[in-house]
Amino acid sequence: LAIAARPCGAMFLGALGGFLGFGIQFGCTVYLGFRNPVSKWRPNLVRYLGKAIFLTCQTNAVGCVYYFLRLLASIAGWNELQVFLLRMFPAMFALGFFLTSGYYGLEHFNPESRKIVKMIAEGGFPAIYSLTHTEHCWSLPAVLLDAFTMDMSLWRVTEMDRLCFLGGFIVYYVILIHLNWLAVGEWPYPIVDDVERVSGTIGRCGFFLTLILGLFGISFLGTSIVS
């Protein structure tokens, strides 16, 4: 990638936007965990891992920590830490972008998901309608802001970084939800059940492969913006 330095103040703004975006979402995740625990409506699914089985929960937590450390490194002038964190940028961009786009593309309009949300609302918690948006909608603009304010004078993208950080997280999460499925017989997201019902195991594997390729494609979009 070509090196094109941008003002460090702009980069601080990108990290601040990321922290605020993921902070709002993670705060919403935590609030929903106390106000409307998943154990009320999907007790079997969360028997072992709780809400951590959801990609939304994990991505929001990772995003909060990542951008907090980016802010800390910017304020303290810790270039070594900043460089290490920037190596994770393709993975963070892909996860943040997908959290919003994947939610609206695969989850929000899914009939089973809408049925669950309606049940929660009618059970005395109508705020769920707005909070589901709050929990997912900020990460995409946050990572875009970060990409457009990135300072490339500190760092070069390597494909090994992309493979290690993004690929490593994907392998970890896919194994996690498959182990949980073997233990409880449920997937975190109804779209997986829909695909499996229509296309069987082969279709499910193809669906996961498509999502994985999509995540890597999104990460290339992120690095193309900063190049």
Side-chain angles (χ1 to χ4, degrees):
L1 291 176
I3 300 297
R6 296 186 175 95
C8 60
M11 191 167 170
F12 175 83
L13 178 64
L16 179 61
F19 180 67
L20 290 175
F22 279 98
I24 291 170
Q25 290 186 169
F26 187 60
C28 186
T29 297
V30 172
Y31 173 72
L32 285 171
F34 284 106
R35 182 64 177 81
N36 182 57
V38 185
S39 56
K40 281 186 177 180
W41 42 277
R42 295 192 69 181
N44 189 49
L45 172 68
V46 299
R47 189 192 316 170
Y48 298 110
L49 296 172
K51 199 167 184 178
I53 191 61
F54 291 101
L55 182 63
T56 295
C57 179
Q58 296 206 22
T59 302
N60 282 336
V62 169
C64 253
V65 173
Y66 175 79
Y67 281 108
F68 172 76
L69 292 175
R70 284 272 307 278
L71 277 175
L72 188 63
S74 295
I75 293 169
W78 295 340
N79 283 349
E80 293 83 0
L81 175 60
Q82 190 75 275
V83 169
F84 178 74
L85 294 169
L86 292 178
R87 291 173 58 196
M88 301 179 189
F89 168 77
M92 196 68 252
F93 182 90
L95 291 172
F97 194 107
F98 180 75
L99 181 57
T100 300
S101 60
Y103 171 71
Y104 288 105
L106 301 174
E107 175 74 4
H108 181 71
F109 298 101
N110 181 278
E112 183 62 27
S113 297
R114 293 179 74 85
K115 186 189 302 182
I116 291 171
V117 171
K118 183 180 179 182
M119 178 185 69
I120 294 170
E122 291 177 348
F125 191 51
I128 189 68
Y129 287 119
S130 59
L131 290 175
T132 53
H133 294 286
T134 307
E135 192 180 18
H136 298 88
C137 71
W138 298 105
S139 57
L140 191 153
V143 296
L144 283 174
L145 175 64
D146 188 28
F148 281 110
T149 57
M150 183 69 66
D151 182 359
M152 289 293 295
S153 65
L154 296 173
W155 157 76
R156 285 180 182 271
V157 174
T158 70
E159 296 315 312
M160 185 56 69
D161 288 339
R162 193 191 313 273
L163 184 63
C164 287
F165 293 114
L166 180 57
F169 183 86
I170 290 172
V171 169
Y172 146 75
Y173 186 73
V174 169
I175 290 175
L176 181 72
I177 61 173
H178 276 80
L179 289 176
N180 196 69
W181 173 74
L182 288 172
V184 304
E186 290 186 37
W187 298 106
Y189 297 100
I191 184 66
V192 183
D193 294 297
D194 295 341
V195 171
E196 195 168 40
R197 192 178 304 114
V198 172
S199 306
T201 301
I202 294 176
R204 166 168 50 87
C205 292
F207 176 71
F208 279 119
L209 179 60
T210 301
L211 292 181
I212 290 168
L213 293 175
L215 280 165
F216 273 96
I218 294 169
S219 78
F220 279 104
L221 171 63
T223 51
S224 72
I225 291 173
V226 303
S227 64

